[in-house]
Amino acid sequence: MAQPPPPTPTAVMPREAWEGCSVLLDINDGDRLAFFRLTPGATVKIGDKSCSLQPLLGRPFGSLFRVGPDGLLPCQDDKPRDGGDAEGQPQDETRDNRSLVDNNTAQTLSSKDIEAMKREGASGDAIVEALIANSSTFGNKTVFSQEKYKLKKQKKYAPKVLLRRPSTRSICETYFKKYPARIGFMQVDTLSLLLSMANVGAYSDVLAVDMVGGLVVGAVAERLGGTGYVCSTYLGSGPSSIDIIRMYNLNSEMTSRIFQAPLSDLCSLKSSGNAPGSVQGDAVEPSAVPDESLQSSLEKPSDTEVSDGNAQSTTAQPIVIEAPEPATDEHLNQGDIPIDIEAPEPADEHLNQGDISMPDCKGNNGNSIAPKAPRARKAPSQERMKYWGEHGFSSLIVAAPGHEVESVVADLLPLLSYSAPFAIYHQYLQPLATCMHSLQVSKMAIGLQITEPWLREYQVLPSRSHPHMQMNAFGGYILSGIRVHKPNPSGARVQEKSSGATESMIVSL
């Protein structure tokens, strides 16, 4: 086995937000999640205020901001937001809420008084403290009820904004919470298990069938880290939408290793005599093969235009970013994930999912970021296709809930090298069971198993740790296995006859 070439130095992603990067804003501890791109004119609508996103520049991911009179301000002294006593004082268990009556008379501070405080420039925290001081029943509530009251008023009058980095986990969790149908109802634990079962790692050549918006391709590219290649194949004449990868802050080295090719072109490799396994000897590392396509530069996009979206008085609304694509997506709610869930896949090519359309930008440390949000419409070079035809792919991931798994896998498995692992995701069990039976009969794979991942989140708080009451019952199913060489019945009989003749000669001697 040839030794892998020395790793090429890849650009380290900065830990702080920079101009032109994509960010995930977590408003009020998960009440609203929205993707944005930090352009000079980018704004976010929170309540009745339109706040500029410029204060986020240069701040490390994970920073917490509050909405002040002049916009977003960094929080200086963050207290634990655990819903309990932050100072660790013993809780008074003698109080209860049995005598409290919700008749809207306990609060003496009127709405006019609150509006007057806002006009005078009072902060949201000051308004919350005034509401607590003017509540006649606050002191009689339990500690838990007091914390719930504070949290409710804080979300209304002093909302907090958490700056998060768009990663595989955060993107998957956001989509699953808002629009799970776009990603095939795939949870983050299922996605991580897919990558693990497919043995995705450095210097891998991964073949992916991504019909979940590009979540799988983006996760593979993020794990590869600029080494190896990922080829997204598709069925039919038109490529499926994989625009979710535009939310990742992938550098130019990562995006140059993402390709997209139709399944018919890949299948033509084995029909032309370049089937995987036809060349004997040690395998050559994929990254050692020269690829002319890596020398080509990505096309620069046109400038984007930022404007505020329509907003209600009580809910925050995202900005609207007009992408430099066809004008058919002007109706999308571009600050959050697009609302049009049922958009047909062929027309999904231009969708600006998650509000990310990265133009030319530079990181704070000078790292070159992808000059354009990767759409992975780039076809692999002839050298790369020839290598894949001779040696095959090192792993396969299939996430195509809307297609027949059995027929798709039958076409994809011959494209893998021998002993290559594969992992197939589906929302339902029966399609995977049928596919598993077909693979067992054809003897194309071994180690077949169907896994049902299940993730349960727990609330861990003082004296009230328990599983979350509202959660999903399951996260889909995964069929995994290892591709093997299909035995030739005629060849086996010839070998058996030759061995029998040898034994007879030995006996006669």
Side-chain angles (χ1 to χ4, degrees), residues 352-412:
N352 188 7
Q353 296 207 27
D355 232 7
I356 307 304
S357 57
M358 301 159 53
D360 289 347
C361 55
K362 291 282 185 179
N364 291 340
N365 57 358
N367 294 333
S368 177
I369 309 300
K372 185 176 181 180
R375 292 181 176 273
R377 302 293 181 232
K378 183 173 58 174
S381 63
Q382 293 297 327
E383 291 81 0
R384 177 56 45 186
M385 292 285 286
K386 182 179 179 181
Y387 176 84
W388 286 336
E390 293 177 352
H391 301 276
F393 292 89
S394 61
S395 58
L396 167 67
I397 298 180
V398 179
H403 293 77
E404 186 181 356
V405 178
E406 182 180 0
S407 60
V408 173
V409 173
D411 295 334
L412 292 173

Side-chain angles (χ1 to χ4, degrees), residues 228-419:
Y229 296 90
V230 52
C231 179
S232 174
T233 186
Y234 55 90
L235 312 175
S237 58
S240 57
S241 173
I242 55 174
D243 286 337
I244 289 182
I245 63 176
R246 302 166 65 190
M247 300 179 192
Y248 293 84
N249 290 319
L250 302 178
N251 55 43
S252 57
E253 179 69 15
M254 296 179 182
T255 57
S256 64
R257 295 173 177 268
I258 302 176
F259 300 102
Q260 194 167 34
L263 181 59
S264 57
D265 291 355
L266 297 178
C267 292
S268 63
L269 297 177
K270 63 177 182 178
S271 62
S272 61
N274 291 329
S278 60
V279 179
Q280 303 295 332
D282 293 340
V284 182
E285 283 298 320
S287 300
V289 180
D291 195 344
E292 296 179 354
S293 63
L294 298 181
Q295 307 298 330
S296 61
S297 59
L298 297 178
E299 179 184 358
K300 295 184 178 180
S302 59
D303 295 336
T304 56
E305 185 175 346
V306 181
S307 61
D308 292 339
N310 297 329
Q312 299 178 358
S313 59
T314 57
T315 59
Q317 295 294 330
I319 60 175
V320 175
I321 298 182
E322 296 181 3
E325 267 69 45
T328 56
D329 60 348
E330 294 179 355
H331 65 284
L332 294 179
N333 188 2
Q334 304 264 356
D336 283 315
I337 300 173
I339 294 178
D340 188 10
I341 300 179
E342 300 298 331
E345 286 187 358
D348 258 8
E349 180 177 352
H350 65 280
L351 289 183
N352 188 7
Q353 296 207 27
D355 232 7
I356 307 304
S357 57
M358 301 159 53
D360 289 347
C361 55
K362 291 282 185 179
N364 291 340
N365 57 358
N367 294 333
S368 177
I369 309 300
K372 185 176 181 180
R375 292 181 176 273
R377 302 293 181 232
K378 183 173 58 174
S381 63
Q382 293 297 327
E383 291 81 0
R384 177 56 45 186
M385 292 285 286
K386 182 179 179 181
Y387 176 84
W388 286 336
E390 293 177 352
H391 301 276
F393 292 89
S394 61
S395 58
L396 167 67
I397 298 180
V398 179
H403 293 77
E404 186 181 356
V405 178
E406 182 180 0
S407 60
V408 173
V409 173
D411 295 334
L412 292 173
L413 279 188
L415 301 176
L416 300 181
S417 60
Y418 297 135
S419 301

Side-chain angles (χ1 to χ4, degrees), residues 35 41 50-51 76 147 161 183 195 225 243 264 272 283 333 347 353 365-366 419 424 432 441 449 502 504:
F35 294 97
S50 181
C51 304
Q76 301 297 335
E147 293 298 328
V161 179
I183 59 173
L195 300 179
D243 286 337
S264 57
S272 61
N333 188 2
Q353 296 207 27
N365 57 358
S419 301
I424 307 166
L432 296 183
V441 173
Q449 64 176 359
T502 304
S504 61

Side-chain angles (χ1 to χ4, degrees), residues 71-147:
L72 295 178
L73 300 175
C75 294
Q76 301 297 335
D77 49 351
D78 299 334
K79 294 183 180 181
R81 297 174 294 165
D82 56 0
D85 194 353
E87 312 220 344
Q89 298 178 356
Q91 301 180 4
D92 188 1
E93 300 294 341
T94 60
R95 293 176 296 178
D96 54 44
N97 300 331
R98 71 180 70 182
S99 60
L100 301 181
V101 180
D102 189 8
N103 53 10
N104 295 329
T105 60
Q107 183 58 250
T108 59
L109 195 66
S110 64
S111 59
K112 293 182 179 179
D113 298 333
I114 297 176
E115 292 296 332
M117 294 180 64
K118 290 181 179 180
R119 289 193 296 268
E120 294 174 0
S123 63
D125 295 332
I127 295 177
V128 173
E129 294 297 331
L131 289 171
I132 294 175
N134 288 272
S135 176
S136 60
T137 58
F138 182 82
N140 298 327
K141 295 181 178 181
T142 62
V143 176
F144 180 58
S145 298
Q146 289 178 354
E147 293 298 328

